[in-house]
Amino acid sequence: MTALRSHPRFVSLEGGEGAGKTTVLHALRDALRAEGVAVVNTREPGGTPLAEMIRNLLLDPAHEPPAAETELLLMFAARAQHVRETIAPALERGAWVISDRFTDSSYAYQGGGRGLDVGLIAELERRVVGLQPGLTLLLDVDVAQGRERTRGRDLAPGGNGPDRIERERDEFFERVRATYRARAAAEPQRFRVIDASQPAQAVATAAVAQLRAWRDGAA
Ligand SMILES: Nc1ncnc2c1ncn2[C@@H]1O[C@H](COP(=O)(O)OP(=O)(O)OP(=O)(O)O)[C@@H](O)[C@H]1O
Ligand SMILES: [Mg+2]
């Protein structure tokens, strides 16, 4: 049994659909790079060529929907690859790694959303992943407000429309949000909750400030 290690230069962004994770990811990278800090941006599911293939299997609405357990195990299969091939090597080189989603997403979506056993998720986290972010920024926003934002994106020219998980009902996303908030309350040393209902610039500024405070305190 491997233990769960935390790494101070590993940061994750979490939150529901349209919370602004990807927008903040770019702002954090730009802020660190402006200071000459090496940073790798990555995302889940995905982050390596094989894990991106698993992402397509997971999110493509065109084929047979995976059972909840299949979804969980594919998420962790992708994450196992992501940690070993992308995240750990970048941390070993001395870079910061910022991931758009990480294991908290499995607790929120497969645990809270789909109702799978949290003990199983924790076991997979310890035995298959073994690594935790030092800092997790939770972008918290109303389900309806987040949905409104992704609708704009999905309807944009060249957009693909909502993926399989984005097609879930609002009750699903309410459970996702509640699980995230409960996890943040239970682990205040790792989580910082950001009010993501604010305009994008204010959310980015708050996220950058939290990252700098964390770096100055921890690294
Ligand atoms: N604070 C904000 N206020 C208004 N619009 C925003 C804000 N943050 C992001 N947006 C816009 O909302 C849409 C969704 O943002 P973004 O893609 O960053 O969210 P996300 O959390 O990564 O979503 P997903 O979970 O679907 O990947 C984008 O069109 C983005 O420009
Ligand atoms: Mg995104």
Side-chain angles (χ1 to χ4, degrees), residues 132-159:
Q132 228 184 14
L135 175 68
T136 297
L137 301 180
L138 173 58
L139 305 184
D140 185 50
V141 69
D142 271 359
V143 170
Q145 197 177 344
R147 253 201 199 289
E148 198 49 51
R149 291 178 188 168
T150 57
R151 206 185 337 267
R153 182 186 58 194
D154 290 339
L155 297 178

mmCIF file with all atom_site columns, all heavy atoms in Angstrom, residues 132-159:
data_model
loop_
_atom_site.group_PDB
_atom_site.id
_atom_site.type_symbol
_atom_site.label_atom_id
_atom_site.label_alt_id
_atom_site.label_comp_id
_atom_site.label_asym_id
_atom_site.label_entity_id
_atom_site.label_seq_id
_atom_site.pdbx_PDB_ins_code
_atom_site.Cartn_x
_atom_site.Cartn_y
_atom_site.Cartn_z
_atom_site.occupancy
_atom_site.B_iso_or_equiv
_atom_site.pdbx_formal_charge
_atom_site.auth_seq_id
_atom_site.auth_comp_id
_atom_site.auth_asym_id
_atom_site.auth_atom_id
_atom_site.pdbx_PDB_model_num
ATOM 1   N N   . GLN A 1 132 ? -0.996  13.992 -4.318  1.00 0.00 ? 132 GLN A N   1
ATOM 2   C CA  . GLN A 1 132 ? -2.042  14.981 -4.100  1.00 0.00 ? 132 GLN A CA  1
ATOM 3   C C   . GLN A 1 132 ? -1.482  16.370 -4.358  1.00 0.00 ? 132 GLN A C   1
ATOM 4   O O   . GLN A 1 132 ? -0.303  16.623 -4.076  1.00 0.00 ? 132 GLN A O   1
ATOM 5   C CB  . GLN A 1 132 ? -2.454  14.925 -2.629  1.00 0.00 ? 132 GLN A CB  1
ATOM 6   C CG  . GLN A 1 132 ? -3.917  14.874 -2.401  1.00 0.00 ? 132 GLN A CG  1
ATOM 7   C CD  . GLN A 1 132 ? -4.269  14.925 -0.928  1.00 0.00 ? 132 GLN A CD  1
ATOM 8   O OE1 . GLN A 1 132 ? -3.455  15.241 -0.069  1.00 0.00 ? 132 GLN A OE1 1
ATOM 9   N NE2 . GLN A 1 132 ? -5.506  14.613 -0.654  1.00 0.00 ? 132 GLN A NE2 1
ATOM 10  N N   . PRO A 1 133 ? -2.309  17.288 -4.871  1.00 0.00 ? 133 PRO A N   1
ATOM 11  C CA  . PRO A 1 133 ? -1.827  18.660 -5.005  1.00 0.00 ? 133 PRO A CA  1
ATOM 12  C C   . PRO A 1 133 ? -1.554  19.265 -3.632  1.00 0.00 ? 133 PRO A C   1
ATOM 13  O O   . PRO A 1 133 ? -2.250  18.952 -2.663  1.00 0.00 ? 133 PRO A O   1
ATOM 14  C CB  . PRO A 1 133 ? -3.002  19.391 -5.671  1.00 0.00 ? 133 PRO A CB  1
ATOM 15  C CG  . PRO A 1 133 ? -3.948  18.338 -6.130  1.00 0.00 ? 133 PRO A CG  1
ATOM 16  C CD  . PRO A 1 133 ? -3.711  17.130 -5.297  1.00 0.00 ? 133 PRO A CD  1
ATOM 17  N N   . GLY A 1 134 ? -0.550  20.149 -3.571  1.00 0.00 ? 134 GLY A N   1
ATOM 18  C CA  . GLY A 1 134 ? -0.355  20.895 -2.339  1.00 0.00 ? 134 GLY A CA  1
ATOM 19  C C   . GLY A 1 134 ? -1.465  21.922 -2.164  1.00 0.00 ? 134 GLY A C   1
ATOM 20  O O   . GLY A 1 134 ? -1.891  22.219 -1.048  1.00 0.00 ? 134 GLY A O   1
ATOM 21  N N   . LEU A 1 135 ? -1.908  22.468 -3.308  1.00 0.00 ? 135 LEU A N   1
ATOM 22  C CA  . LEU A 1 135 ? -2.934  23.519 -3.301  1.00 0.00 ? 135 LEU A CA  1
ATOM 23  C C   . LEU A 1 135 ? -4.018  23.166 -4.319  1.00 0.00 ? 135 LEU A C   1
ATOM 24  O O   . LEU A 1 135 ? -3.710  22.827 -5.469  1.00 0.00 ? 135 LEU A O   1
ATOM 25  C CB  . LEU A 1 135 ? -2.292  24.856 -3.695  1.00 0.00 ? 135 LEU A CB  1
ATOM 26  C CG  . LEU A 1 135 ? -3.247  26.044 -3.847  1.00 0.00 ? 135 LEU A CG  1
ATOM 27  C CD1 . LEU A 1 135 ? -3.839  26.460 -2.509  1.00 0.00 ? 135 LEU A CD1 1
ATOM 28  C CD2 . LEU A 1 135 ? -2.518  27.231 -4.498  1.00 0.00 ? 135 LEU A CD2 1
ATOM 29  N N   . THR A 1 136 ? -5.269  23.264 -3.896  1.00 0.00 ? 136 THR A N   1
ATOM 30  C CA  . THR A 1 136 ? -6.401  23.061 -4.801  1.00 0.00 ? 136 THR A CA  1
ATOM 31  C C   . THR A 1 136 ? -7.293  24.284 -4.731  1.00 0.00 ? 136 THR A C   1
ATOM 32  O O   . THR A 1 136 ? -7.754  24.659 -3.645  1.00 0.00 ? 136 THR A O   1
ATOM 33  C CB  . THR A 1 136 ? -7.193  21.792 -4.414  1.00 0.00 ? 136 THR A CB  1
ATOM 34  O OG1 . THR A 1 136 ? -6.344  20.652 -4.559  1.00 0.00 ? 136 THR A OG1 1
ATOM 35  C CG2 . THR A 1 136 ? -8.411  21.614 -5.314  1.00 0.00 ? 136 THR A CG2 1
ATOM 36  N N   . LEU A 1 137 ? -7.495  24.917 -5.881  1.00 0.00 ? 137 LEU A N   1
ATOM 37  C CA  . LEU A 1 137 ? -8.401  26.066 -5.954  1.00 0.00 ? 137 LEU A CA  1
ATOM 38  C C   . LEU A 1 137 ? -9.755  25.568 -6.435  1.00 0.00 ? 137 LEU A C   1
ATOM 39  O O   . LEU A 1 137 ? -9.865  25.028 -7.541  1.00 0.00 ? 137 LEU A O   1
ATOM 40  C CB  . LEU A 1 137 ? -7.855  27.127 -6.912  1.00 0.00 ? 137 LEU A CB  1
ATOM 41  C CG  . LEU A 1 137 ? -6.473  27.695 -6.571  1.00 0.00 ? 137 LEU A CG  1
ATOM 42  C CD1 . LEU A 1 137 ? -6.063  28.738 -7.615  1.00 0.00 ? 137 LEU A CD1 1
ATOM 43  C CD2 . LEU A 1 137 ? -6.457  28.310 -5.170  1.00 0.00 ? 137 LEU A CD2 1
ATOM 44  N N   . LEU A 1 138 ? -10.761 25.732 -5.590  1.00 0.00 ? 138 LEU A N   1
ATOM 45  C CA  . LEU A 1 138 ? -12.124 25.345 -5.964  1.00 0.00 ? 138 LEU A CA  1
ATOM 46  C C   . LEU A 1 138 ? -12.861 26.587 -6.452  1.00 0.00 ? 138 LEU A C   1
ATOM 47  O O   . LEU A 1 138 ? -13.065 27.543 -5.699  1.00 0.00 ? 138 LEU A O   1
ATOM 48  C CB  . LEU A 1 138 ? -12.859 24.734 -4.764  1.00 0.00 ? 138 LEU A CB  1
ATOM 49  C CG  . LEU A 1 138 ? -14.356 24.450 -4.985  1.00 0.00 ? 138 LEU A CG  1
ATOM 50  C CD1 . LEU A 1 138 ? -14.586 23.515 -6.173  1.00 0.00 ? 138 LEU A CD1 1
ATOM 51  C CD2 . LEU A 1 138 ? -14.974 23.872 -3.711  1.00 0.00 ? 138 LEU A CD2 1
ATOM 52  N N   . LEU A 1 139 ? -13.226 26.577 -7.728  1.00 0.00 ? 139 LEU A N   1
ATOM 53  C CA  . LEU A 1 139 ? -14.000 27.678 -8.310  1.00 0.00 ? 139 LEU A CA  1
ATOM 54  C C   . LEU A 1 139 ? -15.472 27.338 -8.121  1.00 0.00 ? 139 LEU A C   1
ATOM 55  O O   . LEU A 1 139 ? -15.986 26.412 -8.749  1.00 0.00 ? 139 LEU A O   1
ATOM 56  C CB  . LEU A 1 139 ? -13.648 27.838 -9.795  1.00 0.00 ? 139 LEU A CB  1
ATOM 57  C CG  . LEU A 1 139 ? -12.158 28.031 -10.081 1.00 0.00 ? 139 LEU A CG  1
ATOM 58  C CD1 . LEU A 1 139 ? -11.940 28.272 -11.568 1.00 0.00 ? 139 LEU A CD1 1
ATOM 59  C CD2 . LEU A 1 139 ? -11.587 29.191 -9.273  1.00 0.00 ? 139 LEU A CD2 1
ATOM 60  N N   . ASP A 1 140 ? -16.101 28.077 -7.240  1.00 0.00 ? 140 ASP A N   1
ATOM 61  C CA  . ASP A 1 140 ? -17.461 27.728 -6.833  1.00 0.00 ? 140 ASP A CA  1
ATOM 62  C C   . ASP A 1 140 ? -18.466 28.690 -7.439  1.00 0.00 ? 140 ASP A C   1
ATOM 63  O O   . ASP A 1 140 ? -18.362 29.906 -7.258  1.00 0.00 ? 140 ASP A O   1
ATOM 64  C CB  . ASP A 1 140 ? -17.542 27.773 -5.298  1.00 0.00 ? 140 ASP A CB  1
ATOM 65  C CG  . ASP A 1 140 ? -18.890 27.296 -4.800  1.00 0.00 ? 140 ASP A CG  1
ATOM 66  O OD1 . ASP A 1 140 ? -19.327 26.205 -5.234  1.00 0.00 ? 140 ASP A OD1 1
ATOM 67  O OD2 . ASP A 1 140 ? -19.522 28.020 -4.004  1.00 0.00 ? 140 ASP A OD2 1
ATOM 68  N N   . VAL A 1 141 ? -19.423 28.132 -8.170  1.00 0.00 ? 141 VAL A N   1
ATOM 69  C CA  . VAL A 1 141 ? -20.448 28.955 -8.814  1.00 0.00 ? 141 VAL A CA  1
ATOM 70  C C   . VAL A 1 141 ? -21.758 28.167 -8.873  1.00 0.00 ? 141 VAL A C   1
ATOM 71  O O   . VAL A 1 141 ? -21.739 26.926 -8.902  1.00 0.00 ? 141 VAL A O   1
ATOM 72  C CB  . VAL A 1 141 ? -19.993 29.409 -10.226 1.00 0.00 ? 141 VAL A CB  1
ATOM 73  C CG1 . VAL A 1 141 ? -19.940 28.234 -11.194 1.00 0.00 ? 141 VAL A CG1 1
ATOM 74  C CG2 . VAL A 1 141 ? -20.859 30.522 -10.786 1.00 0.00 ? 141 VAL A CG2 1
ATOM 75  N N   . ASP A 1 142 ? -22.876 28.870 -8.871  1.00 0.00 ? 142 ASP A N   1
ATOM 76  C CA  . ASP A 1 142 ? -24.195 28.240 -9.081  1.00 0.00 ? 142 ASP A CA  1
ATOM 77  C C   . ASP A 1 142 ? -24.186 27.331 -10.286 1.00 0.00 ? 142 ASP A C   1
ATOM 78  O O   . ASP A 1 142 ? -23.632 27.692 -11.329 1.00 0.00 ? 142 ASP A O   1
ATOM 79  C CB  . ASP A 1 142 ? -25.208 29.320 -9.486  1.00 0.00 ? 142 ASP A CB  1
ATOM 80  C CG  . ASP A 1 142 ? -25.882 29.951 -8.308  1.00 0.00 ? 142 ASP A CG  1
ATOM 81  O OD1 . ASP A 1 142 ? -25.577 29.531 -7.180  1.00 0.00 ? 142 ASP A OD1 1
ATOM 82  O OD2 . ASP A 1 142 ? -26.695 30.840 -8.553  1.00 0.00 ? 142 ASP A OD2 1
ATOM 83  N N   . VAL A 1 143 ? -24.901 26.231 -10.185 1.00 0.00 ? 143 VAL A N   1
ATOM 84  C CA  . VAL A 1 143 ? -25.004 25.323 -11.330 1.00 0.00 ? 143 VAL A CA  1
ATOM 85  C C   . VAL A 1 143 ? -25.585 26.049 -12.548 1.00 0.00 ? 143 VAL A C   1
ATOM 86  O O   . VAL A 1 143 ? -25.067 25.930 -13.660 1.00 0.00 ? 143 VAL A O   1
ATOM 87  C CB  . VAL A 1 143 ? -25.871 24.099 -10.947 1.00 0.00 ? 143 VAL A CB  1
ATOM 88  C CG1 . VAL A 1 143 ? -26.197 23.263 -12.172 1.00 0.00 ? 143 VAL A CG1 1
ATOM 89  C CG2 . VAL A 1 143 ? -25.159 23.268 -9.884  1.00 0.00 ? 143 VAL A CG2 1
ATOM 90  N N   . ALA A 1 144 ? -26.636 26.822 -12.314 1.00 0.00 ? 144 ALA A N   1
ATOM 91  C CA  . ALA A 1 144 ? -27.299 27.493 -13.451 1.00 0.00 ? 144 ALA A CA  1
ATOM 92  C C   . ALA A 1 144 ? -26.365 28.503 -14.123 1.00 0.00 ? 144 ALA A C   1
ATOM 93  O O   . ALA A 1 144 ? -26.318 28.590 -15.354 1.00 0.00 ? 144 ALA A O   1
ATOM 94  C CB  . ALA A 1 144 ? -28.571 28.191 -12.972 1.00 0.00 ? 144 ALA A CB  1
ATOM 95  N N   . GLN A 1 145 ? -25.608 29.227 -13.311 1.00 0.00 ? 145 GLN A N   1
ATOM 96  C CA  . GLN A 1 145 ? -24.698 30.235 -13.878 1.00 0.00 ? 145 GLN A CA  1
ATOM 97  C C   . GLN A 1 145 ? -23.575 29.568 -14.672 1.00 0.00 ? 145 GLN A C   1
ATOM 98  O O   . GLN A 1 145 ? -23.202 30.031 -15.758 1.00 0.00 ? 145 GLN A O   1
ATOM 99  C CB  . GLN A 1 145 ? -24.128 31.093 -12.741 1.00 0.00 ? 145 GLN A CB  1
ATOM 100 C CG  . GLN A 1 145 ? -23.507 32.387 -13.215 1.00 0.00 ? 145 GLN A CG  1
ATOM 101 C CD  . GLN A 1 145 ? -23.003 33.254 -12.063 1.00 0.00 ? 145 GLN A CD  1
ATOM 102 O OE1 . GLN A 1 145 ? -23.364 33.039 -10.902 1.00 0.00 ? 145 GLN A OE1 1
ATOM 103 N NE2 . GLN A 1 145 ? -22.171 34.222 -12.369 1.00 0.00 ? 145 GLN A NE2 1
ATOM 104 N N   . GLY A 1 146 ? -23.053 28.477 -14.161 1.00 0.00 ? 146 GLY A N   1
ATOM 105 C CA  . GLY A 1 146 ? -22.012 27.735 -14.884 1.00 0.00 ? 146 GLY A CA  1
ATOM 106 C C   . GLY A 1 146 ? -22.532 27.195 -16.209 1.00 0.00 ? 146 GLY A C   1
ATOM 107 O O   . GLY A 1 146 ? -21.875 27.283 -17.245 1.00 0.00 ? 146 GLY A O   1
ATOM 108 N N   . ARG A 1 147 ? -23.735 26.661 -16.151 1.00 0.00 ? 147 ARG A N   1
ATOM 109 C CA  . ARG A 1 147 ? -24.351 26.110 -17.360 1.00 0.00 ? 147 ARG A CA  1
ATOM 110 C C   . ARG A 1 147 ? -24.541 27.177 -18.426 1.00 0.00 ? 147 ARG A C   1
ATOM 111 O O   . ARG A 1 147 ? -24.337 26.925 -19.614 1.00 0.00 ? 147 ARG A O   1
ATOM 112 C CB  . ARG A 1 147 ? -25.729 25.548 -17.006 1.00 0.00 ? 147 ARG A CB  1
ATOM 113 C CG  . ARG A 1 147 ? -25.783 24.049 -16.984 1.00 0.00 ? 147 ARG A CG  1
ATOM 114 C CD  . ARG A 1 147 ? -27.232 23.619 -17.137 1.00 0.00 ? 147 ARG A CD  1
ATOM 115 N NE  . ARG A 1 147 ? -27.428 22.244 -16.698 1.00 0.00 ? 147 ARG A NE  1
ATOM 116 C CZ  . ARG A 1 147 ? -26.992 21.189 -17.353 1.00 0.00 ? 147 ARG A CZ  1
ATOM 117 N NH1 . ARG A 1 147 ? -26.301 21.321 -18.460 1.00 0.00 ? 147 ARG A NH1 1
ATOM 118 N NH2 . ARG A 1 147 ? -27.222 19.990 -16.908 1.00 0.00 ? 147 ARG A NH2 1
ATOM 119 N N   . GLU A 1 148 ? -24.962 28.333 -17.982 1.00 0.00 ? 148 GLU A N   1
ATOM 120 C CA  . GLU A 1 148 ? -25.184 29.441 -18.907 1.00 0.00 ? 148 GLU A CA  1
ATOM 121 C C   . GLU A 1 148 ? -23.888 29.751 -19.669 1.00 0.00 ? 148 GLU A C   1
ATOM 122 O O   . GLU A 1 148 ? -23.889 29.974 -20.872 1.00 0.00 ? 148 GLU A O   1
ATOM 123 C CB  . GLU A 1 148 ? -25.663 30.658 -18.101 1.00 0.00 ? 148 GLU A CB  1
ATOM 124 C CG  . GLU A 1 148 ? -26.338 31.726 -18.918 1.00 0.00 ? 148 GLU A CG  1
ATOM 125 C CD  . GLU A 1 148 ? -27.405 31.180 -19.853 1.00 0.00 ? 148 GLU A CD  1
ATOM 126 O OE1 . GLU A 1 148 ? -28.297 30.412 -19.403 1.00 0.00 ? 148 GLU A OE1 1
ATOM 127 O OE2 . GLU A 1 148 ? -27.329 31.501 -21.046 1.00 0.00 ? 148 GLU A OE2 1
ATOM 128 N N   . ARG A 1 149 ? -22.764 29.726 -18.936 1.00 0.00 ? 149 ARG A N   1
ATOM 129 C CA  . ARG A 1 149 ? -21.473 30.018 -19.579 1.00 0.00 ? 149 ARG A CA  1
ATOM 130 C C   . ARG A 1 149 ? -21.101 28.948 -20.590 1.00 0.00 ? 149 ARG A C   1
ATOM 131 O O   . ARG A 1 149 ? -20.631 29.256 -21.679 1.00 0.00 ? 149 ARG A O   1
ATOM 132 C CB  . ARG A 1 149 ? -20.380 30.107 -18.518 1.00 0.00 ? 149 ARG A CB  1
ATOM 133 C CG  . ARG A 1 149 ? -20.517 31.316 -17.623 1.00 0.00 ? 149 ARG A CG  1
ATOM 134 C CD  . ARG A 1 149 ? -19.420 31.282 -16.585 1.00 0.00 ? 149 ARG A CD  1
ATOM 135 N NE  . ARG A 1 149 ? -19.608 32.330 -15.585 1.00 0.00 ? 149 ARG A NE  1
ATOM 136 C CZ  . ARG A 1 149 ? -18.936 32.385 -14.443 1.00 0.00 ? 149 ARG A CZ  1
ATOM 137 N NH1 . ARG A 1 149 ? -18.033 31.451 -14.175 1.00 0.00 ? 149 ARG A NH1 1
ATOM 138 N NH2 . ARG A 1 149 ? -19.162 33.349 -13.591 1.00 0.00 ? 149 ARG A NH2 1
ATOM 139 N N   . THR A 1 150 ? -21.286 27.676 -20.255 1.00 0.00 ? 150 THR A N   1
ATOM 140 C CA  . THR A 1 150 ? -20.872 26.642 -21.208 1.00 0.00 ? 150 THR A CA  1
ATOM 141 C C   . THR A 1 150 ? -21.824 26.609 -22.400 1.00 0.00 ? 150 THR A C   1
ATOM 142 O O   . THR A 1 150 ? -21.425 26.235 -23.486 1.00 0.00 ? 150 THR A O   1
ATOM 143 C CB  . THR A 1 150 ? -20.817 25.238 -20.578 1.00 0.00 ? 150 THR A CB  1
ATOM 144 O OG1 . THR A 1 150 ? -22.081 24.924 -20.025 1.00 0.00 ? 150 THR A OG1 1
ATOM 145 C CG2 . THR A 1 150 ? -19.759 25.144 -19.514 1.00 0.00 ? 150 THR A CG2 1
ATOM 146 N N   . ARG A 1 151 ? -23.062 27.016 -22.181 1.00 0.00 ? 151 ARG A N   1
ATOM 147 C CA  . ARG A 1 151 ? -23.998 27.042 -23.313 1.00 0.00 ? 151 ARG A CA  1
ATOM 148 C C   . ARG A 1 151 ? -23.476 27.971 -24.395 1.00 0.00 ? 151 ARG A C   1
ATOM 149 O O   . ARG A 1 151 ? -23.457 27.629 -25.570 1.00 0.00 ? 151 ARG A O   1
ATOM 150 C CB  . ARG A 1 151 ? -25.387 27.489 -22.853 1.00 0.00 ? 151 ARG A CB  1
ATOM 151 C CG  . ARG A 1 151 ? -26.467 26.945 -23.754 1.00 0.00 ? 151 ARG A CG  1
ATOM 152 C CD  . ARG A 1 151 ? -27.872 27.429 -23.459 1.00 0.00 ? 151 ARG A CD  1
ATOM 153 N NE  . ARG A 1 151 ? -28.148 27.899 -22.132 1.00 0.00 ? 151 ARG A NE  1
ATOM 154 C CZ  . ARG A 1 151 ? -28.631 27.141 -21.140 1.00 0.00 ? 151 ARG A CZ  1
ATOM 155 N NH1 . ARG A 1 151 ? -28.857 25.862 -21.342 1.00 0.00 ? 151 ARG A NH1 1
ATOM 156 N NH2 . ARG A 1 151 ? -28.879 27.656 -19.956 1.00 0.00 ? 151 ARG A NH2 1
ATOM 157 N N   . GLY A 1 152 ? -23.001 29.142 -23.962 1.00 0.00 ? 152 GLY A N   1
ATOM 158 C CA  . GLY A 1 152 ? -22.428 30.090 -24.915 1.00 0.00 ? 152 GLY A CA  1
ATOM 159 C C   . GLY A 1 152 ? -21.299 29.451 -25.709 1.00 0.00 ? 152 GLY A C   1
ATOM 160 O O   . GLY A 1 152 ? -21.224 29.573 -26.928 1.00 0.00 ? 152 GLY A O   1
ATOM 161 N N   . ARG A 1 153 ? -20.447 28.707 -24.999 1.00 0.00 ? 153 ARG A N   1
ATOM 162 C CA  . ARG A 1 153 ? -19.297 28.088 -25.668 1.00 0.00 ? 153 ARG A CA  1
ATOM 163 C C   . ARG A 1 153 ? -19.746 26.954 -26.600 1.00 0.00 ? 153 ARG A C   1
ATOM 164 O O   . ARG A 1 153 ? -19.267 26.827 -27.724 1.00 0.00 ? 153 ARG A O   1
ATOM 165 C CB  . ARG A 1 153 ? -18.344 27.535 -24.602 1.00 0.00 ? 153 ARG A CB  1
ATOM 166 C CG  . ARG A 1 153 ? -17.095 26.907 -25.153 1.00 0.00 ? 153 ARG A CG  1
ATOM 167 C CD  . ARG A 1 153 ? -16.291 26.258 -24.052 1.00 0.00 ? 153 ARG A CD  1
ATOM 168 N NE  . ARG A 1 153 ? -17.078 25.252 -23.351 1.00 0.00 ? 153 ARG A NE  1
ATOM 169 C CZ  . ARG A 1 153 ? -16.742 24.702 -22.192 1.00 0.00 ? 153 ARG A CZ  1
ATOM 170 N NH1 . ARG A 1 153 ? -15.642 25.070 -21.586 1.00 0.00 ? 153 ARG A NH1 1
ATOM 171 N NH2 . ARG A 1 153 ? -17.508 23.793 -21.641 1.00 0.00 ? 153 ARG A NH2 1
ATOM 172 N N   . ASP A 1 154 ? -20.694 26.127 -26.122 1.00 0.00 ? 154 ASP A N   1
ATOM 173 C CA  . ASP A 1 154 ? -21.100 24.964 -26.918 1.00 0.00 ? 154 ASP A CA  1
ATOM 174 C C   . ASP A 1 154 ? -21.816 25.369 -28.199 1.00 0.00 ? 154 ASP A C   1
ATOM 175 O O   . ASP A 1 154 ? -21.781 24.639 -29.192 1.00 0.00 ? 154 ASP A O   1
ATOM 176 C CB  . ASP A 1 154 ? -22.013 24.052 -26.091 1.00 0.00 ? 154 ASP A CB  1
ATOM 177 C CG  . ASP A 1 154 ? -21.254 23.353 -24.975 1.00 0.00 ? 154 ASP A CG  1
ATOM 178 O OD1 . ASP A 1 154 ? -20.012 23.256 -25.092 1.00 0.00 ? 154 ASP A OD1 1
ATOM 179 O OD2 . ASP A 1 154 ? -21.888 22.928 -24.004 1.00 0.00 ? 154 ASP A OD2 1
ATOM 180 N N   . LEU A 1 155 ? -22.490 26.536 -28.155 1.00 0.00 ? 155 LEU A N   1
ATOM 181 C CA  . LEU A 1 155 ? -23.231 26.956 -29.341 1.00 0.00 ? 155 LEU A CA  1
ATOM 182 C C   . LEU A 1 155 ? -22.360 27.761 -30.303 1.00 0.00 ? 155 LEU A C   1
ATOM 183 O O   . LEU A 1 155 ? -22.783 28.086 -31.399 1.00 0.00 ? 155 LEU A O   1
ATOM 184 C CB  . LEU A 1 155 ? -24.448 27.802 -28.923 1.00 0.00 ? 155 LEU A CB  1
ATOM 185 C CG  . LEU A 1 155 ? -25.496 27.057 -28.081 1.00 0.00 ? 155 LEU A CG  1
ATOM 186 C CD1 . LEU A 1 155 ? -26.624 27.994 -27.676 1.00 0.00 ? 155 LEU A CD1 1
ATOM 187 C CD2 . LEU A 1 155 ? -26.045 25.851 -28.830 1.00 0.00 ? 155 LEU A CD2 1
ATOM 188 N N   . ALA A 1 156 ? -21.124 28.076 -29.866 1.00 0.00 ? 156 ALA A N   1
ATOM 189 C CA  . ALA A 1 156 ? -20.245 28.892 -30.713 1.00 0.00 ? 156 ALA A CA  1
ATOM 190 C C   . ALA A 1 156 ? -19.913 28.138 -32.001 1.00 0.00 ? 156 ALA A C   1
ATOM 191 O O   . ALA A 1 156 ? -19.908 26.908 -32.027 1.00 0.00 ? 156 ALA A O   1
ATOM 192 C CB  . ALA A 1 156 ? -18.955 29.209 -29.952 1.00 0.00 ? 156 ALA A CB  1
ATOM 193 N N   . PRO A 1 157 ? -19.656 28.888 -33.091 1.00 0.00 ? 157 PRO A N   1
ATOM 194 C CA  . PRO A 1 157 ? -19.298 28.221 -34.351 1.00 0.00 ? 157 PRO A CA  1
ATOM 195 C C   . PRO A 1 157 ? -18.087 27.327 -34.141 1.00 0.00 ? 157 PRO A C   1
ATOM 196 O O   . PRO A 1 157 ? -17.125 27.716 -33.480 1.00 0.00 ? 157 PRO A O   1
ATOM 197 C CB  . PRO A 1 157 ? -18.950 29.399 -35.280 1.00 0.00 ? 157 PRO A CB  1
ATOM 198 C CG  . PRO A 1 157 ? -19.506 30.630 -34.623 1.00 0.00 ? 157 PRO A CG  1
ATOM 199 C CD  . PRO A 1 157 ? -19.629 30.350 -33.170 1.00 0.00 ? 157 PRO A CD  1
ATOM 200 N N   . GLY A 1 158 ? -18.143 26.115 -34.656 1.00 0.00 ? 158 GLY A N   1
ATOM 201 C CA  . GLY A 1 158 ? -17.026 25.183 -34.502 1.00 0.00 ? 158 GLY A CA  1
ATOM 202 C C   . GLY A 1 158 ? -17.075 24.413 -33.195 1.00 0.00 ? 158 GLY A C   1
ATOM 203 O O   . GLY A 1 158 ? -16.282 23.495 -32.980 1.00 0.00 ? 158 GLY A O   1
ATOM 204 N N   . GLY A 1 159 ? -18.013 24.724 -32.292 1.00 0.00 ? 159 GLY A N   1
ATOM 205 C CA  . GLY A 1 159 ? -18.141 23.975 -31.042 1.00 0.00 ? 159 GLY A CA  1
ATOM 206 C C   . GLY A 1 159 ? -18.706 22.588 -31.307 1.00 0.00 ? 159 GLY A C   1
ATOM 207 O O   . GLY A 1 159 ? -19.371 22.358 -32.314 1.00 0.00 ? 159 GLY A O   1
#
